[in-house]
Amino acid sequence: MNKTTNQNGYTLGLSCFYHDSAVSLTYKGKIIGALQQERISRIKNDDSFPFEAIETLLKEHDISPSQIAQVVYYEKPFLTFERLLETYHAYFPKGFFSYLKVMPIWIKEKIFIKSIIKKELKKLAIKNVPLYFPSHHHSHMAAAYYPSPFDKAAILTLDGVGEWETLSLGIGEGTKIRPLATLNFPHSLGLFYSSFTYFCGFKVNSGEYKLMGLAPYAHEELELVDQYQKTIENHLIDIREDGSFLLNQKYFSYATAFKMVPEKIWEELFNIPVRKPETDITREYAALALACQKVTEKVILKLVHSLKELSGCENLCLAGGVALNSVANGLIVREGPFKKVWIQPASGDAGSALGCALAVDNILFADEALEEKNKKTWPNDHMLGALLGPSFSSEKIEDYLKKSQTKRIWYKFENNEELIKKIVEDLTDQKVVGLFQGKSEFGPRALGSRSILADPRNPSMQKKVNLKIKLREGFRPFAPAALEEDCNKYYNAPYTSPYMQVVHSIFENAEGPSIHSQKEDDSLSVDNLPSFISRQLKKQNSPFPAVTHVDGSARIQVVRRENHPFFYDLLKEFKKQTEVGILLNTSFNIRGEPIVFDPMDALNCFEKTQMDVLYLENYRISK
């Protein structure tokens, strides 16, 4: 790589034109900020050039366009084009109609991505800077390793597909990343999981977490789960001892068509029809979801054991879309061979905007980047709590409130102590609270800055927040945000993540003090849910029923003061009042929309739902 560059400028990282468009800013290996385009455009998984996100991030950090020294794009478009051509050629005449639709787009637009990027950057007054193109999986590996607290670690990247790679094993040491092994398209664990997502009636590239959330409802159907798992392993996937695998392409159509699977073949194989979106979920789809999850976990566990042997490392870093599978992550932590596991909070392609920038920084500015990396040790990392987006001052909040012409009652608190006490009072009064506080999160999880909060002890809260606030499927679980000392007390977790990435089970004999005794809210009907789901929801037996899934598990966010002081103090005050340092924490948005970005988004979401109270920084807005 040519090291001729502005030695005092910033690196701009880009991910766009496919899905999860995002931008990052770094300086010689130091993370400055990052932002997803969807937050501003309000288009879920927006794939457009992140023009507004770049403008916003530069303005937030008072950086002029002339201070951008190099720009990095997260993959190599020509290699992706090569894969498409070779795949269509290999499967011809299958996929001919897909070829006729896809190729004109590539020939007209995507093959000229370098020119398009330069043209867009010129509009932002970013001119005459080097433009770099690391590979897709190198960007993922960089996002996994460089922000981690390890000076040496094994790296596992799993996703749908990059240019060719779908799985990469590597090792990071100092400023260098060395690949150890790869698996290429069409054999992909990410696309394998997405195929079941599609067949079970959820949207590919955003509904995979719904499939994972549905799976625990099949624990009463283990005989059917076992039957499906055998069918999958006998027909769809050939798993080797080292974790490598082959997918039988007779049962997949993603390589040549616009559908993930040949529906009729799957319907005959599993003896159920493809589920249409928004139709009833039956026990068979839950069983299929769990069978898919079990096969995925089987592959991942074999892979991490192979990677341990290949690398000889004590620690592991994860990235790629499959690294958002928090159930599998919990298995790696508890049963895997590594002492510590660190997972990139923005594991999908949005996080690659950060990874590609860090990859280039660690080549161009190796000494400075190494000095920056050595500043952190476990459990702290370089992600700044994933709070990498913009914040809004009290003055700006008041401007938004006046501009909105809201008739709601609003009150300004003069200090955080009074503010936090009032939030806790609302929570213990069983109000659902919207919290808009500080810098916005980067990645798919809300971590206490753009969050909806509720009392985890209330058995009605899981349904209330799903049905009346999030406006989404009633079977979906919620995550607990927990003080570290309370996490270790209630959850069977050797350690957990501040980024809500790992699922652990609650201790069987866990008892919560002052457990809320409120009866179920009769207005929260679960009649719209299948009986096998509503029955299990009603049987929930946990001191924190609102944040415990039906199998006794939870996707825990451990909160430390160094990452998020305001949210930590809020949990401490809640513990002072209830003896429990745990809150229900879910993202501040409704189904189908991105997490709120600015105060107006928060006000709009507040008005559209039955949320009780909204806190915009130090302002309280009530209904």
Side-chain angles (χ1 to χ4, degrees):
M1 186 181 286
N2 184 0
K3 289 197 176 188
T4 304
T5 187
N6 176 359
Q7 291 293 308
N8 294 310
Y10 293 86
T11 302
L12 190 75
L14 300 174
S15 163
C16 51
F17 302 134
Y18 294 95
H19 56 86
D20 297 330
S21 171
V23 60
S24 75
L25 272 172
T26 61
Y27 182 77
K28 298 184 179 182
K30 182 178 181 179
I31 298 170
I32 305 300
L35 179 62
Q36 289 151 267
Q37 176 66 13
E38 68 166 21
R39 302 293 168 85
I40 304 175
S41 70
R42 310 310 299 154
I43 301 168
K44 187 83 170 171
N45 304 125
D46 193 348
D47 64 355
S48 64
F49 185 82
F51 192 96
E52 293 86 358
I54 295 170
E55 276 190 319
T56 302
L57 209 56
L58 292 179
K59 185 178 179 181
E60 174 74 9
H61 295 280
D62 196 23
I63 295 169
S64 71
S66 63
Q67 290 177 278
I68 301 299
Q70 49 276 325
V71 176
V72 192
Y73 186 69
Y74 78 123
E75 67 175 21
K76 298 178 182 291
F78 275 104
L79 285 182
T80 304
F81 185 57
E82 175 192 83
R83 173 185 37 97
L84 289 169
L85 285 176
E86 290 195 20
T87 300
Y88 283 125
H89 180 264
Y91 285 91
F92 187 84
K94 203 175 174 183
F96 180 64
F97 292 106
S98 171
Y99 172 88
L100 291 177
K101 286 186 177 181
V102 169
M103 280 303 114
I105 296 170
W106 268 90
I107 292 168
K108 189 179 178 182
E109 297 174 13
K110 290 192 174 183
I111 203 168
F112 301 111
I113 280 178
K114 185 174 183 179
S115 299
I116 293 170
I117 291 171
K118 285 187 173 182
K119 184 179 176 181
E120 294 295 332
L121 291 172
K122 195 174 181 181
K123 293 176 187 174
L124 290 157
I126 301 172
K127 308 173 189 174
N128 304 318
V129 296
L131 183 56
Y132 298 109
F133 294 84
S135 73
H136 186 102
H137 269 233
H138 189 80
S139 295
H140 272 318
M141 287 197 287
Y145 171 64
Y146 291 126
S148 79
F150 309 130
D151 56 11
K152 182 178 181 181
I155 309 168
L156 174 61
T157 292
L158 287 159
D159 66 358
V161 61
E163 297 86 1
W164 277 104
E165 295 89 354
T166 64
L167 181 165
S168 295
L169 308 181
I171 183 169
E173 185 169 10
T175 60
K176 300 189 185 314
I177 290 175
R178 177 165 53 92
L180 298 173
T182 61
L183 185 69
N184 283 354
F185 184 86
H187 308 291
S188 163
L189 196 62
L191 293 174
F192 168 83
Y193 203 90
S194 292
S195 295
F196 285 89
T197 301
Y198 169 83
F199 190 77
C200 290
F202 303 118
K203 190 176 179 181
V204 171
N205 286 333
S206 64
E208 284 76 8
Y209 53 89
K210 297 183 185 181
L211 191 78
M212 185 176 64
L214 177 62
Y217 290 98
H219 279 284
E220 295 182 347
E221 308 287 349
L222 292 182
E223 188 175 331
L224 184 58
V225 173
D226 185 55
Q227 176 190 320
Y228 282 154
Q229 185 173 349
K230 286 176 181 174
T231 300
I232 293 168
E233 294 188 27
N234 287 338
H235 293 86
L236 271 64
I237 186 169
D238 178 12
I239 305 170
R240 311 296 171 83
E241 274 308 304
D242 63 357
S244 63
F245 57 89
L246 298 174
L247 297 183
N248 184 346
Q249 291 303 298
K250 172 187 173 182
Y251 295 96
F252 299 91
S253 54
Y254 53 74
T256 57
F258 294 109
K259 288 186 177 181
M260 296 300 297
V261 301
E263 294 176 2
K264 287 184 179 179
I265 294 176
W266 274 51
E267 287 175 345
E268 291 172 5
L269 186 67
F270 295 111
N271 198 29
I272 52 172
V274 59
R275 178 178 167 263
K276 301 304 178 186
E278 308 305 322
T279 59
D280 288 344
I281 298 171
T282 66
R283 51 189 280 277
E284 287 83 5
Y285 296 108
L288 196 57
L290 184 55
C292 169
Q293 179 68 31
K294 283 177 171 288
V295 172
T296 301
E297 291 169 4
K298 184 176 181 178
V299 172
I300 291 174
L301 270 184
K302 286 180 180 289
L303 283 171
V304 295
H305 280 282
S306 294
L307 181 52
K308 180 72 169 70
E309 289 183 21
L310 280 171
S311 68
C313 293
E314 297 294 326
N315 303 310
L316 172 66
C317 299
L318 291 173
V322 180
L324 291 169
N325 192 310
S326 50
V327 177
N329 293 343
L331 206 62
I332 294 171
V333 168
R334 293 187 304 276
E335 299 182 21
F338 292 95
K339 284 186 177 178
K340 302 291 182 188
V341 179
W342 190 86
I343 307 154
Q344 168 55 239
S347 285
D349 282 1
S352 294
L354 178 60
C356 68
L358 291 172
V360 167
D361 277 4
N362 275 269
I363 295 172
L364 297 179
F365 314 108
D367 292 341
E368 295 95 331
L370 183 60
E371 184 180 348
E372 179 65 27
K373 182 154 186 55
N374 289 337
K375 290 178 181 178
K376 300 288 184 180
T377 56
W378 179 271
N380 299 313
D381 57 45
H382 297 268
M383 283 297 293
L384 306 176
L387 304 177
L388 302 177
S391 59
F392 294 81
S393 66
S394 291
E395 291 75 22
K396 284 183 181 177
I397 298 287
E398 190 159 336
D399 287 343
Y400 274 101
L401 284 168
K402 290 175 180 176
K403 193 185 299 181
S404 73
Q405 297 182 327
T406 181
K407 294 180 182 178
R408 302 299 183 186
I409 300 167
W410 47 282
Y411 175 80
K412 182 179 180 181
F413 288 85
E414 295 303 326
N415 62 70
N416 278 355
E417 187 177 348
E418 288 181 14
L419 172 64
I420 286 171
K421 283 183 177 178
K422 186 59 182 176
I423 297 172
V424 169
E425 181 185 318
D426 284 332
L427 289 165
T428 54
D429 282 346
Q430 304 313 300
K431 290 183 172 68
V432 176
V433 170
L435 187 66
F436 186 103
Q437 182 72 221
K439 288 181 173 291
S440 64
E441 300 92 341
F442 182 58
R445 312 293 185 213
L447 304 168
S449 282
R450 307 290 183 270
S451 287
I452 295 171
L453 306 177
D455 190 333
R457 304 167 300 161
N458 187 333
S460 293
M461 279 302 176
Q462 186 268 349
K463 288 185 283 295
K464 180 178 180 180
V465 179
N466 266 330
L467 302 176
K468 293 191 173 185
I469 314 296
K470 300 283 281 187
L471 310 180
R472 68 184 197 179
E473 302 92 343
F475 70 82
R476 303 267 294 278
F478 289 106
L483 293 168
E484 194 164 21
E485 55 267 34
D486 279 48
C487 176
N488 296 333
K489 182 178 179 182
Y490 294 112
Y491 296 101
N492 185 19
Y495 56 89
T496 193
S497 161
Y499 305 118
M500 208 183 280
Q501 298 165 303
V502 183
V503 167
H504 292 300
S505 59
I506 193 166
F507 285 125
E508 287 186 13
N509 59 349
E511 292 183 6
S514 305
I515 295 174
H516 198 274
S517 60
Q518 180 173 316
K519 292 181 180 179
E520 288 276 9
D521 184 344
D522 293 334
S523 70
L524 297 169
S525 171
V526 292
D527 293 342
N528 62 325
L529 289 174
S531 58
F532 80 97
I533 289 180
S534 58
R535 183 181 68 251
Q536 292 181 70
L537 285 172
K538 287 174 182 176
K539 287 196 319 185
Q540 178 63 266
N541 182 27
S542 163
F544 316 112
V547 293
T548 306
H549 210 356
V550 291
D551 62 348
S553 69
R555 177 163 50 87
I556 310 156
Q557 174 198 357
V558 64
V559 181
R560 303 185 182 102
R561 199 171 204 286
E562 55 268 30
N563 288 334
H564 204 326
F566 183 89
F567 196 40
Y568 178 87
D569 289 346
L570 174 57
L571 277 160
K572 286 290 280 188
E573 182 63 25
F574 188 77
K575 183 176 181 178
K576 183 179 175 182
Q577 299 299 325
T578 66
E579 301 180 53
V580 175
I582 297 174
L583 283 171
L584 181 155
N585 178 17
T586 188
S587 56
F588 198 153
N589 64 320
I590 60 172
R591 183 185 181 188
E593 292 187 1
I595 298 173
V596 299
F597 170 67
D598 62 26
M600 192 62 77
D601 297 333
L603 283 162
N604 289 338
C605 187
F606 179 62
E607 294 292 352
K608 278 193 270 188
T609 70
Q610 295 185 46
M611 198 183 308
D612 299 299
V613 187
L614 170 62
Y615 285 89
L616 294 175
E617 294 294 339
N618 55 335
Y619 287 87
R620 181 184 188 270
I621 299 97
S622 65
K623 293 179 179 178

